[in-house]
Amino acid sequence: MPGSQNLYDNSKVHEAIEFAHDNNRLVCAICAAPFILGRKGLLTGKEATCFPGFENELSGAIKNEGVVKSENIITAQGAGVAWEFGERIARELVGCEISQKILLGLQWKK
């Protein structure tokens, strides 16, 4: 913070999130940023995670895991799981086999 609050205050961010959500595209948020999705009501009935301390903003969608995918939304707790967050996004975009090749090319082992 205040990075996530600045994102929340930006109308272009809201437009991008709404476009992605309305068109069943991926919506991804890490660290405190999932609170934006919670405030927008996009986490109702879904599971999500965030940086500790922001759980009350997730509309009850809390799951205490590093990275969580629920429908078209991927959330992550913070910098400590950034690799897993990126891999989960890549897996959704290009499939498991290619995402694993990308990670191995980065010398990251799961």
Side-chain angles (χ1 to χ4, degrees):
M1 292 300 257
S4 293
Q5 184 63 50
N6 290 338
L7 290 172
Y8 182 77
D9 293 339
N10 187 305
S11 64
K12 294 290 185 189
V13 171
H14 286 271
E15 289 174 22
I17 291 170
E18 290 162 14
F19 175 84
H21 186 264
D22 292 348
N23 289 282
N24 202 34
R25 307 271 174 86
L26 281 181
V27 178
C28 307
I30 189 171
C31 202
F35 94 86
I36 299 167
L37 307 180
R39 284 189 185 173
K40 292 183 73 56
L42 300 180
L43 300 178
T44 303
K46 296 180 176 71
E47 294 180 332
T49 193
C50 64
F51 190 80
F54 289 86
E55 296 88 354
N56 62 332
E57 298 281 359
L58 299 190
S59 306
I62 302 162
K63 189 168 184 180
N64 191 21
E65 292 184 12
V67 178
V68 175
K69 180 180 182 290
S70 187
E71 297 178 20
N72 66 320
I73 296 176
I74 300 174
T75 54
Q77 288 182 329
V81 296
W83 282 103
E84 291 89 347
F85 181 60
E87 188 277 329
R88 190 66 178 107
I89 294 168
R91 190 179 340 153
E92 289 300 311
L93 295 174
V94 298
C96 187
E97 185 178 331
I98 294 173
S99 72
Q100 290 300 306
K101 285 181 182 179
I102 292 168
L103 289 176
L104 289 174
L106 296 173
Q107 300 174 345
W108 180 78
K109 294 182 182 176
K110 188 172 183 181

